[in-house]
Amino acid sequence: MRSQTPRSAPPRPRPSPVRLLAGLVAAVLAAVLLSPAPAAAAVGSQIRYTTITSHDGTAIRAKVITPTGTEGPHPLLVMPSAWGTPHLLYVGAGARLAQESGYQVVTYSSRGFWDSGGRIEVAGPQDRADASAVIDWALENTDADPGRIGMAGISYGGGISLLTAAEDDRIRAVASLSGWADLQESLYPGGTVDVQSAELLLGAAALTGRKGETLQNVERAYRRGDIGPALDMAPDRSAATKVDRINANGTAVMMAHGWNDGMFPVGHITDFYGELSGPKRLMLAPGDHATQELFGAAGLPDEVWEGVGDWFDHHLKGEDNGVGAADPVMVKPNNGRGAWSSHPDWESVTGGEQTFHLGRPGTDWTRWQSSGAMGAEPDTGWSHGVRTGIGTTAESGTVLLSGALQQFFDVPTGVLLPTVDRYRAGVWTSPAYPDGARVAGAPEATFTLTPTAREQSVFVYLYAIDSNGRGALLSHAPHTLRDAVPGAPVTVTTELAPVVWDVPAGHRLAVVVDTRDLRYRSESTIGNRVTFTSPEAEPTRVTIPFA
């Protein structure tokens, strides 16, 4: 988390995303080794290590977890590992599923990582063929039921599971945890490169695997500042482009995601969920990328993995456990450690919307009163220039760390609003909410921008602010103008990440817009200037969804 501090305060050191990933993986592997589930394997399951020969002869290393004391055939669950992790990732959860529910589980190291052969193909056709080959092997070498097959995975494993379900109609149910549905929207949100996520993925691949040709080409281009090859590979590796096939197969799809997922932003998950027409379930709760599910993967108690078990029990075993009758959308507020609430669809999470028109912002960065007003009536005709430079502005935090702090300690990514440099940011504040309020859904902002360069980035933040000006980040969105005409105004409407957040009584909302954020590659360079205007035809405004 990066909280805003006065200008005189030294910058806080930022932890390396690769080290954060390594620490999380180490914690999970330690939990696997210390978890009681594998120790109980002699009672209810058997675990063996094996090699599965894939479609092209590649050796895929796997853990095969077989239930004991129950007669087969057993429903089959196949679990591809997450990016940078081995098949050990799911041993705890797999053992519990085998022992408690009688599943035949095969968890494997994805191609190119750890002990599996081949090279990293970034969920390409080879990876999907691997998953189908693992299913073939399990049907031939275990007492797995060919009519009851499911796939589950975290992150990379969740993405591969969705993609394989689009191509292999034997898969009846999927659980994708912290996965992605649209790779372009994940790694290039708002036309902006997510640097922290890109560096984390590339660093983890270098440490734990062998990069294939596609990934090598993408990395070389990325280092040159060219995102083209990444965008070219994205459609084939996005379940969003294959949703019709998933629907045609009738696959039951469960997705769980963290509000603060810094790698795969939650907005594209809610969009994809809306496109699914078959049985579906969505669980959204506090957390960053995979931080919700990691300890449950090790076999420890976990609400998400309990939901996964119920999902497969209903759709693969036919159990009448309430899954079919329950409202499928479950959300937990991102602050305050509130309880789950259930809804018939994603749209029902939002009860209503309020549009705030943004007035002329002040320029005295030392005073609270210099903020512009967020009001009900349009305020047009003003302009406000934001210059890119070194100064105190807002930020969205650090991938993995910020969301984990919010999840485990209820510590948000913060800002001290009076210290935000009004020459380098636009700031607007709403009236206070005397009884509090619940923001629920995806906020939306509309600005008219006049850039001084062809490519410039802006970042929009929504905060809840207390009486002392201390703010908690609810949501944000990057947006980069590409091939703009310098000096020509352009109106931009951008959707911020969905969130459910309880605004405390007496707090107010604040919108901050600036041109730099350390999570992203900003195309705004020092000296660039973006002017915000509010023309009568398109007044500058923000729409906030409320429960």
Side-chain angles (χ1 to χ4, degrees):
M1 182 192 76
R2 181 180 173 89
S3 299
Q4 296 301 326
T5 57
R7 279 180 154 184
S8 59
R12 297 179 181 179
R14 287 183 170 270
S16 162
V18 174
R19 290 190 178 185
L20 286 170
L21 176 69
L24 283 171
V25 171
V28 171
L29 294 182
V32 168
L33 296 175
L34 297 175
S35 170
V43 177
S45 65
Q46 295 177 342
I47 303 176
R48 61 188 176 98
Y49 178 64
T50 193
T51 299
I52 299 173
T53 302
S54 191
H55 63 287
D56 60 351
T58 298
I60 302 297
R61 311 294 185 182
K63 282 287 191 299
V64 181
I65 308 171
T66 303
T68 59
T70 61
E71 294 184 2
H74 306 291
L76 172 65
L77 292 181
V78 171
M79 300 182 179
S81 69
W83 186 274
T85 68
H87 47 68
L88 285 172
L89 176 64
Y90 308 114
V91 167
R96 292 190 65 169
L97 287 164
Q99 295 166 19
E100 298 174 6
S101 302
Y103 288 98
Q104 173 65 62
V105 179
V106 182
T107 169
Y108 67 92
S109 301
S110 296
R111 173 183 290 254
F113 285 107
W114 292 88
D115 51 348
S116 281
R119 294 185 175 275
I120 301 167
E121 297 294 332
V122 198
Q126 302 276 38
D127 294 293
R128 283 111 68 180
D130 288 342
S132 292
V134 171
I135 293 173
D136 294 338
W137 180 93
L139 295 178
E140 293 176 4
N141 295 276
T142 72
D143 199 7
D145 187 343
R148 296 186 294 167
I149 300 173
M151 286 190 68
I154 295 173
S155 184
Y156 193 53
I160 291 175
S161 296
L162 283 174
L163 289 164
T164 307
E167 300 177 3
D168 193 330
D169 60 9
R170 297 175 296 178
I171 300 168
R172 291 179 52 186
V174 163
S176 176
L177 315 179
S178 293
W180 77 93
D182 188 322
L183 198 58
Q184 177 170 329
E185 287 298 317
S186 297
L187 301 180
Y188 197 56
T192 311
V193 178
D194 183 344
V195 172
Q196 289 187 7
S197 293
E199 294 295 342
L200 189 151
L201 289 168
L202 293 171
L207 288 172
T208 64
R210 299 161 302 281
K211 299 174 186 177
E213 183 178 355
T214 297
L215 183 55
Q216 292 179 41
N217 290 338
V218 166
E219 181 174 11
R220 282 193 292 265
Y222 162 75
R223 300 297 180 197
R224 298 193 305 267
D226 179 9
I227 198 69
L231 301 184
D232 291 341
M233 77 167 183
D236 179 60
R237 292 161 168 82
S238 299
T241 67
K242 306 167 192 261
V243 66
D244 290 344
R245 298 188 214 172
I246 295 175
N247 290 336
N249 290 341
T251 310
V253 176
M254 172 185 167
M255 294 184 292
H257 220 77
W259 293 119
N260 294 106
D261 193 314
M263 189 171 296
F264 302 140
V266 66
H268 86 288
I269 294 297
T270 57
D271 291 342
F272 177 73
Y273 177 84
E275 295 296 319
L276 293 169
S277 63
K280 56 185 179 179
R281 188 180 196 188
L282 180 64
M283 297 179 70
L284 301 175
D288 210 304
H289 184 65
T291 61
Q292 282 190 85
E293 310 93 20
L294 276 175
F295 296 104
L300 303 176
D302 180 84
E303 290 178 311
V304 170
W305 279 96
E306 288 174 8
V308 169
D310 290 342
W311 186 250
F312 287 127
D313 286 348
H314 179 72
H315 289 287
L316 297 185
K317 299 174 65 179
E319 291 187 5
D320 185 10
N321 56 9
V323 167
D327 284 339
V329 175
M330 299 177 62
V331 299
K332 183 183 288 190
N334 199 17
N335 68 319
R337 304 189 183 280
W340 290 97
S341 62
S342 58
H343 308 267
D345 50 41
W346 166 247
E347 289 74 18
S348 300
V349 173
T350 300
E353 297 178 337
Q354 184 175 2
T355 296
F356 293 95
H357 294 276
L358 307 185
R360 181 187 301 273
T363 56
D364 182 356
W365 74 278
T366 64
R367 297 194 304 123
W368 168 271
Q369 292 81 5
S370 65
S371 300
M374 294 169 57
E377 299 298 324
D379 184 354
T380 59
W382 56 263
S383 65
H384 175 70
V386 173
R387 186 175 297 278
T388 301
I390 300 174
T392 304
T393 55
E395 285 201 33
S396 60
T398 302
V399 172
L400 292 182
L401 177 62
S402 296
L405 288 173
Q406 179 67 57
Q407 175 187 356
F408 295 116
F409 305 106
D410 205 18
V411 176
T413 300
V415 69
L416 186 58
L417 202 64
T419 69
V420 173
D421 188 341
R422 270 42 173 193
Y423 290 102
R424 293 179 173 82
V427 180
W428 297 265
T429 56
S430 77
Y433 290 87
D435 300 319
R438 171 170 283 191
V439 176
E444 185 178 88
T446 298
F447 295 90
T448 297
L449 315 174
T450 303
T452 58
R454 289 176 57 83
E455 297 188 354
Q456 286 187 247
S457 299
V458 294
F459 302 90
V460 185
Y461 308 87
L462 177 66
Y463 291 96
I465 306 293
D466 68 13
S467 59
N468 295 315
R470 293 173 300 193
L473 181 65
L474 275 65
S475 182
H476 81 283
H479 187 91
T480 296
L481 300 174
R482 301 283 180 181
D483 297 321
V485 177
V490 56
T491 298
V492 170
T493 297
T494 185
E495 187 176 274
L496 281 68
V499 69
V500 173
W501 187 282
D502 290 327
V503 179
H507 288 212
R508 65 186 70 208
L509 297 175
V511 173
V512 178
V513 183
D514 61 24
T515 59
R516 296 185 73 109
D517 188 303
L518 292 181
R519 180 176 293 196
Y520 302 96
R521 176 188 289 167
S522 175
E523 300 299 339
S524 300
T525 58
I526 293 178
N528 284 161
R529 184 179 178 88
V530 174
T531 300
F532 297 90
T533 56
S534 185
E536 290 187 10
E538 285 286 2
T540 294
R541 61 194 182 273
V542 61
T543 299
I544 309 295
F546 292 95

